[in-house]
Amino acid sequence: MSATGVPEGVAAERETLGRLAQELARRAAQEDLLDVAYRTLDTPVGVLLLAATPRGLVRVAYDREDHDAVLRSLADRLSPRVLRAPARLDRVAAELDEYFAGVRTRFDVPLDLSLASGFRRAVVEVLPRIGFGTTASYTQVAALTGRPGAVRAVGTACARNPLPVVVPCHRVVRSDGTPGEYVGGAAAKVGLLALEAR
Amino acid sequence: MGGGVVAGVAVSGAPVAVRAVAAGHEPFEAVVAAHGATVLRVCRAVVGPDAADDAWSETFLAALRAYPALPAGSDVRAWLVTIAHRKAVDQHRAAARRPAPTAELPERAGGELLGDWRADLWEAVGELPAKQRRCVAYHHLGGLPYAEVAALVGGSEAAARRAAADGVRALRRAWGDGGDSGDRNDRVHGDQRSEREEQR
């Protein structure tokens, strides 16, 4: 070993802790203590945070939303029993990989919409009706919700969509056809629309 | 992330604790990241290398179960060390019920490397009498004040302080035997805080 033993000892400790943390996540899930599981996924629109409750996918977050802040918010709003536990997210991660590879046009995973309430939830529930490769205007989405006057509220609901990409708020564009704003940034919105136009 | 809120409360007064209530609990993953190494070292010192991983797992699983009910502003590290102590006691009881000789507490903590302690220092920890070993582990590795150490191991605060001092003296001898410069003795005496900070 080296003169002080620091590198090997610290490396061995980190390896042990990594293995123990994985085991903890596995046992937590077995014993119904894994209230919020999360992982990250590298995608063409940046690193996405994926989080799921036992009921389903509850949050997708872009890097620019600050993943640590998002996890703290999940701890506050859902449960502080939050662990990095990729297994629960395996299926949605695989579907997202297929989507970004251009071989999947819709997502088929259970969703937990508990982070969207009231009118925001109504918007999130109608967004999947905008199919892959198509777009709708904020005005059209307002009509879909049965509140045609609520165009601005639709904008707010899209901006605060807890499940971007999977619930396709990126398909909602301005009436003049320009993309408009997006929780993942304008570039990500243009990128997703281009991907779906291929 | 890490122990941000918790550390702030631990070193500050009541006004911060009030804000911590409003902020709620950190994600448990941050608790594991901030205190996992400390708990592993405490387990390693108290139950030896073979049982340390189990003790760590049982400690964090129990902590995860109880975490939502932990009062905001609590000293999370001290809470975890207390749980680790209970799990170590459970392990000793289970071992005592088992007839196999291997179920005895290992006499030596073993020579593997862990953290920035040299292997021979972990061996020396394993050779300490049980009470000294626990007092050193809970105070110097786990950061518990002596009053809380005494509450865990029994006896008075002064006795816990003496046992830890005797233990550290024995470890210094072992460190000196194996080694070179005297200033590393501080590592034995310190609470490893700087090293933990580096790992964040």
Side-chain angles (χ1 to χ4, degrees):
Chain A
M1 72 181 188
S2 68
T4 60
V6 171
E8 294 131 286
V10 171
E13 184 173 86
R14 283 184 189 155
E15 192 185 315
T16 300
L17 287 167
R19 179 170 49 74
L20 289 172
Q22 282 179 15
E23 175 69 9
L24 176 66
R26 196 185 60 76
R27 288 187 63 188
Q30 267 178 2
E31 303 196 17
D32 288 329
L33 294 173
L34 186 53
D35 295 344
V36 180
Y38 74 89
R39 62 164 286 174
T40 54
L41 182 71
D42 287 328
T43 77
V45 290
V47 180
L48 296 180
L49 175 75
L50 313 174
T53 67
R55 285 188 291 175
L57 185 68
V58 75
R59 188 75 164 89
V60 175
Y62 280 94
D63 229 352
R64 71 205 291 267
E65 296 179 81
D66 183 350
H67 290 172
D68 281 344
V70 171
L71 289 171
R72 282 196 296 276
S73 151
L74 294 176
D76 278 344
R77 297 185 59 188
L78 299 173
S79 162
R81 290 188 184 128
V82 179
L83 283 178
R84 179 183 289 277
R88 188 182 286 168
L89 288 313
D90 275 353
R91 183 165 150 201
V92 68
E95 292 197 4
L96 281 162
D97 281 338
E98 291 166 5
Y99 169 79
F100 284 111
V103 297
R104 172 172 288 277
T105 58
R106 60 185 296 275
F107 293 97
D108 185 21
V109 292
L111 303 181
D112 179 344
L113 299 182
S114 52
L115 293 176
S117 57
F119 184 65
R120 285 175 50 210
R121 177 154 187 160
V123 171
V124 165
E125 283 174 345
V126 301
L127 287 177
R129 287 160 61 182
I130 313 169
F132 182 93
T134 67
T135 59
S137 68
Y138 292 97
T139 309
Q140 287 171 316
V141 173
L144 280 176
T145 65
R147 286 181 54 188
V151 177
R152 285 180 64 91
V154 167
T156 305
C158 287
R160 297 174 66 187
N161 174 12
L163 295 161
V165 185
V166 174
V167 172
C169 59
H170 59 276
R171 293 176 195 152
V172 185
V173 298
R174 291 190 180 134
S175 298
D176 65 7
T178 57
E181 291 174 28
Y182 184 54
V183 59
K189 188 169 192 172
V190 170
L192 293 178
L193 292 174
L195 168 83
E196 297 189 5
R198 278 205 304 241
Chain B
M1 55 184 271
V5 171
V6 171
V9 172
V11 297
S12 310
V16 177
V18 171
R19 283 206 295 278
V21 172
H25 287 49
E26 286 189 290
F28 195 75
E29 183 74 25
V31 172
V32 178
H35 305 295
T38 296
V39 171
L40 184 60
R41 291 166 192 182
V42 168
C43 291
R44 176 76 178 261
V46 173
V47 301
D50 295 336
D53 287 8
D54 270 356
W56 189 98
S57 295
E58 294 300 328
T59 297
F60 274 99
L61 200 62
L64 177 63
R65 191 182 302 279
Y67 187 53
L70 180 71
S74 297
D75 181 338
V76 174
R77 182 176 63 171
W79 175 66
L80 289 168
V81 170
T82 302
I83 298 173
H85 166 75
R86 287 198 211 107
K87 294 301 172 187
V89 170
D90 288 350
Q91 278 190 352
H92 281 278
R93 284 191 189 133
R97 280 196 297 271
R98 265 181 258 124
T102 51
E104 296 295 317
L105 179 73
E107 290 190 3
R108 297 163 68 89
E112 292 165 53
L113 290 163
L114 188 67
D116 65 349
W117 279 21
R118 288 186 343 196
D120 52 359
L121 190 53
W122 283 110
E123 288 175 20
V125 170
E127 285 163 2
L128 293 177
K131 180 157 182 177
Q132 286 183 20
R133 190 169 59 219
R134 288 184 176 187
C135 290
V136 168
Y138 300 150
H139 181 76
H140 291 290
L141 295 176
L144 288 192
Y146 283 117
E148 290 178 35
V149 174
L152 295 185
V153 304
S156 68
E157 181 179 340
R161 188 186 298 273
R162 264 199 313 279
D166 290 346
V168 166
R169 203 174 302 119
L171 293 180
R172 280 185 162 162
R173 276 200 301 276
W175 187 256
D177 286 348
D180 17 30
S181 74
D183 63 344
R184 293 225 197 92
N185 287 342
D186 294 342
R187 287 256 177 83
V188 180
H189 207 74
D191 68 357
Q192 309 251 315
R193 185 180 300 278
S194 61
E195 204 272 331
R196 275 202 308 279
E197 294 294 335
E198 283 167 24
Q199 287 194 18
R200 297 232 172 122

